[in-house]
Amino acid sequence: MGADILDTARGGGRTVSLTFDDGPNPTDTLRLLGVLRRHRIAAVFLLCGGQVEAHPEVVRRIVADGHRLGNHSMHHDDMTTWSAERIEADLRETNEAIRRAVPGARIRYFRAPYGAWGASPGVAAALGMRPLGWRLAVGDWEPPGTDELVRRLLDGVTPGAVVLLHDGGGDRSQSVAAVDRVAPVLRARRWRFTLPAD
């Protein structure tokens, strides 16, 4: 498992990977799952362990719908200055929380909160998880309105981009609505939704 940070969607040409951080969040994650199902999109959900412990049933729904799981730390802390040992303890605790919700779950990716990687890429790789970055972050952590999110997605997407969005950490209804509106437009423009390149 490489420690290099992956930011590329699988396949060539007009491919894009949607990834969602900070969940699970019962209200918005479940609505998002419905949107992804309707548009036949497989995505990656980067889960916070504390949220997993609070809402294990939502994690089970994510897996049942065929999406991939990633580790986004236990409590969304900035790991920039953490020792490798402290990072490893946090990532293991998060993985254990996910596997209590979904026994045998395959946790393929790790994304550092705030993109503050520090020593985490090497630690994650040693634990069998690929560090997952992004090429496009639309800034939905401070919701600017659905129309603006749609504009940022359509104007910002580039071939092979991994896109950073959020389904947790606050009210993400604008993000869910934006994905619902953008998906058919991109398909009409002959874009394909794929998972990150492994």
Side-chain angles (χ1 to χ4, degrees):
M1 182 67 62
D4 51 313
I5 297 171
L6 174 65
D7 65 2
T8 305
R10 183 181 301 166
R14 292 185 173 191
T15 58
V16 59
S17 290
L18 300 185
T19 67
F20 299 92
D21 284 10
D22 298 356
N25 159 17
T27 302
D28 294 319
T29 304
L30 292 174
R31 289 181 55 240
L32 176 61
L33 289 173
V35 167
L36 295 174
R37 189 179 315 115
R38 190 162 57 251
H39 294 293
R40 301 178 313 282
I41 296 171
V44 179
F45 287 80
L46 290 303
L47 307 173
C48 288
Q51 288 297 104
V52 170
E53 290 180 336
H55 309 291
E57 72 288 350
V58 182
V59 182
R60 290 191 282 272
R61 284 283 303 277
I62 291 169
V63 172
D65 278 11
H67 301 289
R68 299 281 173 89
L69 301 181
N71 180 319
H72 196 44
S73 83
M74 200 64 199
H75 301 292
H76 207 276
D77 294 311
D78 184 333
M79 298 180 167
T80 306
T81 62
W82 287 17
S83 68
E85 292 75 19
R86 185 178 177 191
I87 294 169
E88 180 179 351
D90 185 284
L91 270 54
R92 285 187 183 278
E93 184 182 4
T94 307
N95 282 351
E96 288 164 8
I98 294 169
R99 290 190 174 119
R100 280 194 300 274
V102 184
R106 212 161 155 212
I107 305 162
R108 298 170 184 264
Y109 306 103
F110 167 74
R111 177 174 283 157
Y114 311 106
W117 293 97
S120 67
V123 174
L127 294 174
M129 296 178 289
R130 184 75 185 268
L132 183 60
W134 60 86
R135 289 194 196 166
L136 174 62
V138 296
D140 64 337
W141 52 86
E142 292 180 357
T146 302
D147 289 345
E148 177 61 14
L149 288 176
V150 168
R151 186 195 68 74
R152 292 177 188 179
L153 282 163
L154 293 177
D155 290 354
V157 71
T158 55
V162 171
V163 178
L164 167 62
L165 292 154
H166 292 78
D167 65 315
D171 179 354
R172 301 303 176 209
S173 57
Q174 292 179 16
S175 301
V176 175
V179 170
D180 199 20
R181 285 173 50 185
V182 164
V185 175
L186 289 180
R187 284 209 196 276
R189 296 177 182 176
R190 301 192 181 279
W191 286 80
R192 291 179 297 125
F193 294 93
T194 67
L195 291 163
D198 285 317

